[in-house]
Amino acid sequence: MKIKYCILPIIASALFLNAQNEGNERGQLRKAAIMQENGLARYYIFEDVKDSRSLIKELRGSGADLGYVAYRDGEKEIDDLKVTEGRAEGKRAVRLDSGWYQGPVFDIKDKQFTVSVWFRRQGAGTLKSVSHADEGAIISVGGWESGWRIATVYDEYNTLRFCLGRHGGCEKVMSDMPVADKAWHHLAAVWDGKEMFLYLNGTLVGRKAYSGGYVPAGESEHLRIGNAGDGTGSVILDIEEVAIYNRVLSRREIQYLKSGVTNLAGNILKTADKNLLKGEYETARNEYNKLKEMKPVEYGKEIGLFNIAESYRLEKKYIEAHKTYSEILEIPDLTTNYRVYCLFKQAEVYIEQNNYKSARSLYSEILKTKAAAENHIFKAGLSIGDSYRQERKYNQAREIYERLLKEQDRSEYPHENRRLEIVDRLESIEGLKDGQAEKSLREKRAELLNMPKYAIYVSLNGDDNNDGSKSKPFKTLQRAQEEVRIIKRDKGLPEGGISVYLRGGKYFITGGVKFNGEDSGGEGSPLVYRSYPGEEVRIIGGKQIAKFKLPDDQNAVKRMPEEAKGKVLVADLKEAGITSYGNLVNRGHSYNFINPSAMELFCDTVPMTLARWPDDEWAIVSDLVTPGGDGGSGDYAFQKGRFRYSGDRPGRWSDEKNIWAVGYFMQPWDKIHTQVIEINTDKRIVTLAPDI
């Protein structure tokens, strides 16, 4: 076991720990520590704010100060800023809804970026998003096709978002971890050029690989704290501290930011961790003990004791580990989340000792904890089932899993990830009797594949009048399917089932292959369709086109731009038996998604793109025909159906009768595919078909 996975999470421990009682001494230590951090580019706190006229100074001295901007609804200005209490007694924070703080743009350079925010949600804001969701930005610089953004959403499946701007729409990582209202949370977003990360209260809650492009924010953009102003709505937010770095902070550094650990405490932890890696457990514990007495360190006693307990576990001194966990549980005013975390950690030690009964007793305590979070309750119930599964008491495990699954199915908002966790467990122990060893999914599939002894063969060189044997294979998959049904109807499935082997090659089918109850196997007698071992098989729902040549139609050649002549090839589709091409139809927005689309062309398995301009990226609308917009509300207006273009390229298409456009014509997330009615080359106006 790698020690680092056991130690690092301890500092953050639980998702919803609040620093409600941070004293002035602790706050000053924290401020001084952050100001000394390498790579800190912007640092804002709100301790001197009095009202909306107060300027928020950038403490590093960059001059990138923030000013409050009130939301305007038509001619009416709405100044809804409030000054509220911060995390510590005497500290201040600002409460934002429709208004926002604004300052000079901060952009990501060299794909090295971290932003840290202390925030507290107070409920949905007064501005609804264009998708009618209760959501809003926390901090942003654009964030759709350029810049970056962090937002929060009142949605069980998408509570936090970190977005990086790119052409065609942002790349985003999301979290579904619950975010409690009226409680302070530390949020951090990181991009290292390879992956995007989201941390909530020091715990990694979102991660996504992304090494693609990033579009810098434009000159007209601003750094905004609060409402992003582009139709994303608003959330009532308390903001106390914002720190932006032009480097990547490590997980440990983010945990320091969350926990309020000073540099001195950080050095103690680093020294202790090094001792653990060397197996010097007693020396490490001496270091961890120092944290227990450091008053400026938020939750220092808990942090020290959790690390001490973990060191005993690594040393397999289980009695001492349990004594340490008991000491944690006896701490006066121990937060609910630390208590729940402690019970989970101690239960893990019992599991490691194969003492499943004691582990289940601790999981049951979590279930009885009134203030435990909903995700903790689910995890505790699931862990009880897992403990029976590890004990090979599958009947009891199955009973618990089935109960949890029913609870999810009956829920008003079932959690799909949790359902999958339960279903995976039920499938893993399906058919097992108590005491039997589990088999991996790979092992089970291999058994099913290799179970049949009766075989039917299909080959491109076969004949459907053959008997389907290895020496006389059928030619089509459909004929093999028919033979399987005949055997099943007349003789019944042979013991062990049937394998249909497809010999190597490309099988082109036009009508598809449908499987129903007639094609089902039975217990111990599966029906398996597979490629012959060692041979590659592809089943293709299309037709192969050959005989490409240069076009004979000179009128078509004349219409081509000079750079395309001699490079365009054509083929006779009718000669290949293709007469139905489908139709281009409106897609996106509220269109009927069951409408069949036009035919597609693939070359070497890669889908080809219809002739388009520009060849890649996007054309930018140069202007609106009616600049004031044709609709909208507040400061958000839109025009749909017409736009002006720049350049002369569309002038080449005057004879083309079937032009289509794809773009974001209404909302920055609403990609629409619709027909072009007219191109006025004199006024450079494109008119689109109605969006129905």
Side-chain angles (χ1 to χ4, degrees):
M1 179 177 290
K2 295 181 179 178
I3 293 177
K4 64 179 180 179
Y5 294 123
C6 302
I7 299 168
L8 288 181
I10 291 174
I11 294 174
S13 68
L15 285 175
F16 308 126
L17 301 177
N18 305 320
Q20 301 285 5
N21 300 313
E22 185 176 44
N24 289 328
E25 178 187 4
R26 184 178 296 160
Q28 291 304 313
L29 280 171
R30 175 185 176 83
K31 176 181 174 182
I34 290 177
M35 290 286 286
Q36 295 171 14
E37 290 284 349
N38 292 329
L40 179 67
R42 302 269 184 96
Y43 186 40
Y44 303 101
I45 58 176
F46 298 83
E47 58 187 18
D48 296 325
V49 67
K50 295 179 180 179
D51 53 35
S52 61
R53 295 185 295 264
S54 300
L55 193 67
I56 307 302
K57 291 288 186 180
E58 196 288 294
L59 298 180
R60 293 279 292 183
S62 68
D65 301 335
L66 303 176
Y68 179 74
V69 180
Y71 177 75
R72 298 189 69 88
D73 186 1
E75 297 298 319
K76 183 180 179 182
E77 184 175 278
I78 301 174
D79 183 349
D80 53 12
L81 176 77
K82 293 182 180 179
V83 179
T84 185
E85 76 285 351
R87 289 177 294 135
E89 184 177 353
K91 291 195 71 174
R92 290 176 178 171
V94 293
R95 181 165 297 170
L96 301 168
D97 182 358
S98 59
W100 63 93
Y101 275 97
Q102 181 170 296
V105 66
F106 180 89
D107 222 336
I108 301 174
K109 301 228 169 71
D110 301 322
K111 298 184 177 181
Q112 300 289 298
F113 174 71
T114 303
V115 61
S116 159
V117 182
W118 274 101
F119 76 102
R120 178 171 59 186
R121 297 198 317 188
Q122 297 288 351
T126 56
L127 302 178
K128 293 291 184 183
S129 72
V130 291
S131 59
H132 304 291
D134 292 325
E135 60 181 306
I138 297 175
I139 182 169
S140 62
V141 178
W144 181 248
E145 288 200 330
S146 65
W148 53 272
R149 177 182 302 170
I150 302 173
T152 183
V153 189
Y154 278 92
D155 184 332
E156 183 178 358
Y157 307 105
N158 179 13
T159 56
L160 295 168
R161 297 179 192 160
F162 170 34
C163 306
L164 294 174
R166 62 183 178 89
H167 293 305
C170 70
E171 188 70 28
K172 56 181 173 288
V173 60
M174 299 184 290
S175 168
D176 63 356
M177 281 294 182
V179 178
D181 278 2
K182 304 185 187 305
W184 284 105
H185 300 282
H186 180 258
L187 178 64
V190 179
W191 186 38
D192 63 5
K194 297 179 181 178
E195 291 184 282
M196 301 167 66
F197 303 89
L198 263 178
Y199 295 89
L200 182 64
N201 297 323
T203 299
L204 182 64
V205 295
R207 183 175 187 175
K208 183 177 185 180
Y210 182 63
S211 57
Y214 166 77
V215 179
E219 294 181 359
S220 61
E221 297 284 2
H222 297 88
L223 172 70
R224 295 172 68 135
I225 298 175
N227 178 15
D230 60 356
T232 55
S234 68
V235 170
I236 302 175
L237 289 170
D238 295 346
I239 304 290
E240 193 205 65
E241 176 188 279
V242 174
I244 308 176
Y245 300 78
N246 53 21
R247 71 176 181 90
V248 173
L249 267 62
S250 67
R251 178 182 293 194
R252 175 70 89 183
E253 289 176 305
I254 288 169
Q255 289 167 343
Y256 292 164
L257 285 173
K258 181 267 155 196
S259 61
V261 178
T262 65
N263 286 344
L264 177 60
N267 291 332
I268 290 173
L269 286 166
K270 290 177 183 177
T271 302
D273 290 353
K274 288 179 182 178
N275 290 325
L276 275 185
L277 289 170
K278 293 187 290 185
E280 298 173 359
Y281 299 107
E282 193 61 39
T283 305
R285 285 192 282 270
N286 289 336
E287 293 294 321
Y288 291 134
N289 267 313
K290 295 177 183 178
L291 291 174
K292 294 164 56 177
E293 308 304 325
M294 291 184 67
K295 293 182 180 179
V297 180
E298 184 183 11
Y299 300 114
K301 186 172 185 179
E302 291 90 333
I303 292 171
L305 287 172
F306 273 118
N307 279 279
I308 289 170
E310 184 67 15
S311 73
Y312 282 128
R313 187 193 69 78
L314 293 170
E315 203 175 1
K316 299 193 182 302
K317 291 185 176 181
Y318 297 122
I319 293 176
E320 298 301 322
H322 290 303
K323 286 182 180 178
T324 308
Y325 285 125
S326 296
E327 185 178 349
I328 295 171
L329 293 171
E330 291 170 1
I331 294 176
D333 301 322
L334 183 70
T335 67
T336 299
N337 286 286
Y338 264 139
R339 174 180 171 78
V340 169
Y341 181 73
C342 184
L343 294 172
F344 273 123
K345 294 302 293 182
Q346 189 172 11
E348 288 176 16
V349 176
Y350 279 128
I351 293 291
E352 192 170 311
Q353 294 178 269
N354 297 326
N355 186 345
Y356 302 106
K357 185 176 180 180
S358 294
R360 286 192 286 269
S361 176
L362 295 179
Y363 292 136
S364 296
E365 280 193 49
I366 296 171
L367 294 176
K368 297 173 186 175
T369 303
K370 292 182 179 179
E374 191 262 343
N375 62 306
H376 293 153
I377 296 297
F378 172 78
K379 182 182 176 183
L382 195 66
S383 297
I384 291 173
D386 290 344
S387 71
Y388 281 119
R389 178 184 173 189
Q390 290 169 284
E391 208 173 356
R392 296 188 181 181
K393 294 182 177 180
Y394 301 116
N395 287 330
Q396 287 166 286
R398 196 175 290 112
E399 182 180 332
I400 291 170
Y401 293 149
E402 288 173 349
R403 175 176 57 78
L404 291 173
L405 187 60
K406 287 179 181 177
E407 289 176 1
Q408 287 298 316
D409 289 338
R410 291 171 181 169
S411 171
E412 185 177 359
Y413 301 103
H415 197 295
E416 188 59 26
N417 287 342
R418 291 176 186 167
R419 288 189 75 261
L420 290 174
E421 283 188 77
I422 301 166
V423 170
D424 285 345
R425 285 165 166 78
L426 285 169
E427 290 179 349
S428 296
I429 63 175
E430 184 179 2
L432 286 177
K433 296 179 181 179
D434 285 357
Q436 289 183 326
E438 279 191 54
K439 295 178 181 176
S440 68
L441 183 60
R442 186 182 183 87
E443 290 174 319
K444 290 180 180 179
R445 286 175 176 169
E447 284 184 359
L448 282 173
L449 285 174
N450 297 317
M451 187 179 293
K453 305 303 179 193
Y454 189 97
I456 295 173
Y457 294 86
V458 181
S459 170
L460 293 173
N461 298 319
D463 190 315
D464 282 348
N465 293 317
N466 286 341
D467 59 10
S469 62
K470 189 174 184 179
S471 60
K472 294 183 178 181
F474 295 130
K475 185 176 182 63
T476 65
L477 183 60
Q478 291 89 337
R479 177 64 184 89
Q481 180 187 34
E482 179 187 359
E483 186 68 16
V484 169
R485 291 179 174 181
I486 291 171
I487 294 171
K488 184 178 177 182
R489 183 190 67 214
D490 296 345
K491 301 177 183 178
L493 286 172
E495 185 176 350
I498 301 174
S499 278
V500 176
Y501 288 104
L502 277 69
R503 303 304 299 261
K506 299 176 182 178
Y507 292 80
F508 290 92
I509 59 175
T510 54
V513 180
K514 295 182 180 180
F515 292 96
N516 55 37
E518 293 181 85
D519 304 293
S520 296
E523 185 69 30
S525 298
L527 294 179
V528 179
Y529 288 77
R530 59 181 297 184
S531 61
Y532 190 79
E535 297 182 4
E536 183 177 319
V537 173
R538 289 181 58 206
I539 299 175
I540 303 171
K543 288 198 174 185
Q544 194 161 9
I545 304 172
K547 298 182 181 179
F548 280 91
K549 61 180 182 178
L550 292 171
D552 297 327
D553 186 344
Q554 293 305 309
N555 289 327
V557 173
K558 287 179 182 178
R559 291 166 53 199
M560 294 180 191
E562 286 300 320
E563 61 269 24
K565 291 179 180 178
K567 299 177 182 178
V568 176
L569 300 177
V570 297
D572 190 337
L573 296 183
K574 291 181 180 178
E575 186 178 332
I578 302 172
T579 57
S580 177
Y581 312 135
N583 294 298
L584 291 171
V585 295
N586 285 6
R587 297 197 303 275
H589 195 50
S590 58
Y591 302 130
N592 187 345
F593 289 101
I594 65 172
N595 283 341
S597 187
M599 181 179 64
E600 287 187 284
L601 175 67
F602 293 79
C603 180
D604 294 331
T605 73
V606 178
M608 298 290 99
T609 303
L610 286 171
R612 55 165 283 180
W613 174 79
D615 291 332
D616 51 31
E617 300 298 331
W618 298 84
I620 305 300
V621 172
S622 69
D623 196 6
L624 299 179
V625 180
T626 51
D630 299 325
S633 60
D635 64 351
Y636 189 78
F638 63 83
Q639 175 180 276
K640 192 173 182 182
R642 296 176 298 161
F643 62 89
R644 295 185 191 276
Y645 64 88
S646 58
D648 298 318
R649 183 62 177 266
R652 300 180 182 181
W653 310 331
S654 57
D655 295 331
E656 180 56 58
K657 305 302 181 185
N658 192 23
I659 300 175
W660 288 72
V662 178
Y664 298 89
F665 299 114
M666 184 172 181
Q667 310 292 357
W669 44 262
D670 190 4
K671 187 176 180 180
I672 294 176
H673 179 279
T674 189
Q675 191 167 17
V676 174
I677 295 177
E678 180 188 30
I679 299 179
N680 186 323
T681 55
D682 293 331
K683 296 182 179 180
R684 290 188 171 87
I685 296 176
V686 173
T687 302
L688 304 176
D691 57 328
I692 55 174

